[in-house]
Amino acid sequence: MSCKSKVAPSVDFDHSCSDSVEYLTLNFGPFETVHRWRRLPPCDEFVGARRSKHTVVAYRDAIYVFGGDNGKNMLNDLLRFDVKDCSWCRAFTTGTPPAPRYHHSAVVYGSSMFVFGGYTGDIYSNSNLKNKNDLFEYKFATGQWTEWKVEGRLNDMWTISLQDREQAYWEEIEQSGEIPPSCCNFPVAVCRDKMFVFSGQSGAKITNNLFQFEFKGHIWTRIPTEHLLRGSPPPPQRRYGHTMVAFDRHLYVFGGAADNTLPNELHCYDVDSQTWEVIQPSTDSEMPSGRLFHAAAVIHDAMYIFGGTVDNNVRSGEMYRFQFSCYPKCTLHEDYGKLWENRQFCDVEFILGEREEKVLGHIAIVTARCKWLRKKILQARDRQKQKSKLECNEESEESGSGSQKDSSGKSSRGPPLLEVSIREADAQPFEVLMQFLYTDKIQYPRRGHVQDVLLIMDVYKLALSFKLSRLEQLCVQYIEASVDLQNVLSVCENANKLQLDQLKEHCLNFVVKESHFNQVIMTKEFELLSTPLIVEIVRRKQQPPPRVYSDQPVDIGTSLVQDMKAYLEGAGHEFCDIILLLDGHPRPAHKAILAARSSQLLPQFFDSYFEAMFRSFMPEDGQVNISIGEMVPSTQAFESMLRYIYYGDVNMPPEDSLYPSYCFIFSIL
């Protein structure tokens, strides 16, 4: 087999053989373990010095390192690292290179590298440092250095066209939105047609804010963290001297100096879900130590990190490679969300409140996510079985009675929906709760609007009753962020009525703030408050209670992924409604989950096989045979596929990843 550095195989047709036969050749490997750090050969001193504050860029299959300092002097040499041969050399250069410098920047455009700015001078004397704004081009094909003579100054945000040197000039960008503060020692990366800036030094202040810049509208936005659950992975610590690169829909942040430490965790930000996580390296990883002022670049599906300052102010000449995950985006939450929106294959009907409004759902999802509703469903199922048993006994006693059947003798109706009565819930907040069960999030209404805040308070009440800790936090965070001078009294009164003590406490503290109190008590709404609540507000203002600090860990509950993992591993066994047969061995499963997720495996060929099968017909015994053509997949590969379907797991051996990529063909017994 030929060696191609790809996670998935390439496909070639050999047309040189007989016209009657098409030969399919699959080129595999070599496979690299996902999330594996690997230490590559370091740069020898006779090739180039160890360094920090340099730049690296990727061009074709090579990493180019320029400038920096070795702890004594600034540098202006250009090094080349071949990622295929893992070899170092000095890059060929002609012409006059930029003066020795550090803290500059470099990008690749077309077949050239452009180096801009930085500091020149003596690294031991800040008074002798000169801040440069010159621009140099290095042509990879010829090795030629050329300085671009450009008129203009540098301040705020500027752009320059790299297409025509004769027409090049600096132009200031008119920015709007939440513009980041002026800062230094920060990285930038471009992902999804937006530029992202994370952390850095702003004078003596260091932050961990993440900003995005839209190139089309020139608008800055600070990425909020209010939606992140307490206890869930927070953004990385504030830092400077770190790196950030983009790959697919993710930003990867490594290293830097964070509060007098040099952390070596790799943080990952998902641009789509706006969530952070710490990447767990593979068990066979060769981890780099913490460092700052290193540099990073991406080639194909891997990140390369070179140099930097490590412990005791020592410069490094090490090169490390990190293998990204190349699996396609897992649409687990979106797929279950579509199942909820479409209401296909529903097998349970919730009858809600005094009006007996009806909401459809899927037993598999609901019982996986909520123990309280699981108990309700089990009770309703027992009642249904008892009722069916009584009806069967009555039918056997009465001749001529029974369900109408078609010509084949089968019942003309499918199994009836399981009816579950929940008198303590109204339809609107219950539907918001159901949306959370399917997607792990809720579609927030208009922030601050009184009726919408009151709706989420009703959802919060249900979350408390149903013991859904994760939903509780989402509701509390939304409500607390929505409380303002116009709605605080309505929210406080409703919290008092619903006995939501945490929200009531938040509202009382909001009202008695020095900047809020006079404005609130002069409103008409304050006059209409109940007397006990007015008394409580006045007393709170006169004698605020002492603040209570708790170091108890916050229970954030279980996520959709955790619940579906437990469901597959046994928690959902009693709710299985289909049997998958693998070489004669039964594997219980759940139709709704398979229907929701099966199109993710290979939509262009598969076209949601399970979904079409469940809509049109099902084998009478509820059993489906599993095969790949005439070949039966291994148990290990089949279990890998089920883990991907149920909870989006992509941690599988490379050989198993072929199965979810190329799908199974299911034939019915």
Side-chain angles (χ1 to χ4, degrees):
M1 290 186 179
S2 62
C3 293
K4 294 185 178 182
S5 181
K6 294 183 177 181
V7 172
S10 61
V11 180
D12 299 309
F13 286 96
D14 188 350
H15 299 282
S16 62
C17 301
S18 170
D19 293 338
S20 61
V21 180
E22 288 281 12
Y23 290 87
L24 179 66
T25 303
L26 298 178
N27 296 319
F28 298 100
F31 291 109
E32 180 67 87
T33 304
V34 170
H35 294 169
R36 182 190 181 200
W37 282 101
R38 188 153 53 94
R39 189 176 188 271
L40 303 178
C43 183
D44 290 324
E45 288 288 343
F46 69 85
V47 176
R50 301 177 179 184
R51 65 192 67 204
S52 68
K53 309 181 187 72
H54 52 287
T55 56
V56 303
V57 298
Y59 181 70
R60 295 184 177 175
D61 289 316
I63 296 288
Y64 289 82
V65 180
F66 176 74
D69 80 73
N70 61 6
K72 298 179 180 179
N73 304 298
M74 294 186 185
L75 307 168
N76 69 340
D77 53 346
L78 182 63
L79 311 179
R80 183 182 186 275
F81 179 78
D82 190 302
V83 299
K84 288 186 174 180
D85 299 336
C86 291
S87 59
W88 286 94
C89 68
R90 287 181 174 269
F92 173 74
T93 63
T94 63
T96 304
R101 64 190 60 207
Y102 64 30
H103 284 316
H104 51 287
S105 58
V107 298
V108 170
Y109 179 78
S111 58
S112 297
M113 174 179 68
F114 291 85
V115 174
F116 172 75
Y119 288 95
T120 61
D122 184 355
I123 67 173
Y124 293 111
S125 174
N126 289 337
S127 61
N128 290 329
L129 289 178
K130 185 176 182 181
N131 194 354
K132 305 290 288 184
N133 69 344
D134 48 3
L135 180 65
F136 285 81
E137 179 185 8
Y138 173 80
K139 294 183 180 294
F140 292 110
T142 63
Q144 179 72 41
W145 278 109
T146 308
E147 183 176 4
W148 286 38
K149 301 294 184 179
V150 183
E151 295 293 331
R153 65 184 181 86
L154 248 285
N155 189 21
D156 301 325
M157 176 180 281
W158 296 72
T159 181
I160 186 172
S161 173
L162 300 178
Q163 294 180 341
D164 186 351
R165 192 171 74 180
E166 299 301 323
Q167 301 296 322
Y169 62 93
W170 286 104
E171 181 179 4
E172 187 173 3
I173 297 294
E174 293 186 9
Q175 310 165 72
S176 61
E178 298 178 272
I179 301 174
S182 58
C183 58
C184 62
N185 296 328
F186 62 90
V188 298
V190 175
C191 182
R192 298 283 175 89
D193 297 324
K194 297 176 182 177
M195 180 174 69
F196 292 84
V197 175
F198 175 72
S199 198
Q201 288 177 296
S202 179
K205 184 179 180 181
I206 304 173
T207 70
N208 70 337
N209 289 325
L210 177 65
F211 292 87
Q212 73 176 23
F213 178 77
E214 297 182 27
F215 289 109
K216 291 183 179 179
H218 296 172
I219 300 172
W220 282 102
T221 306
R222 185 184 71 85
I223 303 297
T225 58
E226 289 81 7
H227 66 287
L228 298 176
L229 291 177
R230 286 170 293 177
S232 60
Q237 286 177 272
R238 59 182 188 175
R239 62 189 62 206
Y240 67 92
H242 49 293
T243 56
M244 180 170 67
V245 300
F247 179 75
D248 190 25
R249 67 184 189 279
H250 295 116
L251 303 173
Y252 293 86
V253 174
F254 178 79
D259 294 333
N260 299 318
T261 65
L262 296 177
N264 69 338
E265 302 97 349
L266 181 62
H267 295 264
C268 177
Y269 177 77
D270 189 312
V271 173
D272 290 342
S273 64
Q274 294 190 341
T275 55
W276 287 95
E277 68 171 319
V278 176
I279 298 297
Q280 298 301 318
S282 64
T283 55
D284 58 346
S285 285
E286 301 171 288
M287 289 289 297
S289 61
R291 60 196 62 215
L292 75 160
F293 299 136
H294 50 290
V298 173
I299 291 185
H300 303 311
D301 56 359
M303 173 177 67
Y304 294 81
I305 286 179
F306 175 71
T309 301
V310 294
D311 285 335
N312 300 318
N313 206 29
V314 174
R315 271 47 172 184
S316 169
E318 300 168 307
M319 175 73 83
Y320 284 89
R321 180 187 190 275
F322 176 79
Q323 176 65 48
F324 292 124
S325 169
C326 294
Y327 300 110
K329 178 187 176 183
C330 178
T331 57
L332 181 81
H333 299 74
E334 291 88 341
D335 292 339
Y336 288 144
K338 289 176 183 177
L339 184 68
W340 161 246
E341 291 172 5
N342 298 334
R343 311 294 168 93
Q344 294 180 338
F345 317 116
C346 293
D347 49 9
V348 62
E349 184 177 63
F350 295 99
I351 302 172
L352 306 165
E354 296 179 357
R355 298 180 183 178
E356 295 190 345
E357 297 176 280
K358 296 178 180 180
V359 173
L360 298 176
H362 302 84
I363 291 176
I365 304 295
V366 174
T367 56
R369 302 292 332 266
C370 180
K371 293 180 180 178
W372 192 92
L373 288 174
R374 179 189 181 110
K375 184 178 179 180
K376 281 280 189 180
I377 287 174
L378 286 173
Q379 292 170 349
R381 195 165 70 170
D382 289 341
R383 287 193 297 269
Q384 187 184 63
K385 288 179 180 178
Q386 293 173 5
K387 182 179 178 181
S388 299
K389 187 176 181 181
L390 290 173
E391 290 176 350
C392 288
N393 291 337
E394 291 174 1
E395 288 176 0
S396 63
E397 294 174 0
E398 298 177 10
S399 59
S401 64
S403 62
Q404 295 181 354
K405 295 186 178 181
D406 58 24
S407 57
S408 64
K410 296 181 180 179
S411 173
S412 59
R413 295 182 61 192
L417 290 172
L418 181 67
E419 293 185 351
V420 179
S421 179
I422 306 177
R423 297 300 180 187
E424 54 267 65
D426 292 326
Q428 191 177 10
F430 186 80
E431 286 193 336
V432 177
L433 181 144
M434 289 285 283
Q435 181 192 47
F436 164 78
L437 296 183
Y438 283 73
T439 64
D440 233 9
K441 57 187 177 182
I442 56 178
Q443 192 68 41
Y444 289 127
R446 296 162 293 177
R447 176 167 292 182
H449 195 277
V450 175
Q451 294 304 316
D452 294 333
V453 176
L454 298 182
L455 169 61
I456 299 301
M457 292 181 72
D458 289 335
V459 177
Y460 178 54
K461 182 72 173 179
L462 287 181
L464 291 171
S465 300
F466 295 178
K467 295 180 172 56
L468 292 169
S469 300
R470 199 175 188 86
L471 180 57
E472 289 176 31
Q473 285 200 48
L474 287 174
C475 292
V476 168
Q477 289 177 198
Y478 167 79
I479 296 167
E480 291 183 351
S482 300
V483 169
D484 56 29
L485 293 171
Q486 285 70 44
N487 64 28
V488 63
L489 294 178
S490 298
V491 175
C492 186
E493 191 165 33
N494 197 49
N496 187 54
K497 175 184 173 183
L498 298 176
Q499 297 180 339
L500 304 177
D501 295 336
Q502 181 179 346
L503 293 181
K504 177 183 174 183
E505 189 71 17
H506 175 79
C507 292
L508 291 174
N509 290 333
F510 182 93
V511 169
V512 300
K513 278 187 177 179
E514 195 67 36
S515 58
H516 298 161
F517 185 72
N518 289 336
Q519 298 180 65
V520 172
I521 64 173
M522 297 301 292
T523 62
K524 186 70 175 178
E525 289 80 4
F526 185 77
E527 297 176 14
L528 300 176
L529 279 183
S530 62
T531 302
L533 200 53
I534 292 178
V535 172
E536 195 168 355
I537 290 174
V538 173
R539 287 177 177 173
R540 175 67 61 96
K541 178 62 176 176
Q542 295 298 322
Q543 189 175 2
R547 289 192 175 185
V548 178
Y549 297 95
S550 174
D551 56 358
Q552 294 296 320
V554 177
D555 177 19
I556 63 169
T558 52
S559 66
L560 175 67
V561 171
Q562 292 170 322
D563 288 337
M564 299 312 295
K565 181 176 186 291
Y567 207 65
L568 176 65
E569 293 175 350
H573 186 78
E574 61 183 317
F575 299 101
C576 291
D577 52 7
I578 188 173
I579 301 295
L580 306 179
L581 290 174
L582 181 67
D583 198 20
H585 298 288
R587 182 62 164 95
H590 306 84
K591 288 189 290 187
I593 295 173
L594 297 176
R597 293 279 292 149
S598 59
S599 62
Q600 270 304 299
L601 297 178
L602 197 63
Q604 62 267 43
F605 296 122
F606 201 62
D607 196 22
S608 196
Y609 179 89
F610 276 127
E611 182 179 330
M613 182 179 75
F614 297 152
R615 187 181 293 112
S616 56
F617 66 95
M618 264 294 295
E620 190 173 348
D621 58 1
Q623 296 185 350
V624 177
N625 193 51
I626 308 300
S627 64
I628 307 179
E630 298 180 356
M631 183 182 71
V632 176
S634 69
T635 301
Q636 183 184 21
F638 181 61
E639 290 296 328
S640 292
M641 185 198 72
L642 285 180
R643 291 194 298 271
Y644 179 79
I645 289 177
Y646 272 70
Y647 58 95
D649 180 47
V650 294
N651 293 317
M652 59 184 79
E655 59 272 16
D656 281 357
S657 66
L658 299 177
Y659 289 101
S661 300
Y662 285 86
C663 192
F664 291 97
I665 300 173
F666 295 82
S667 61
I668 302 174
L669 282 175

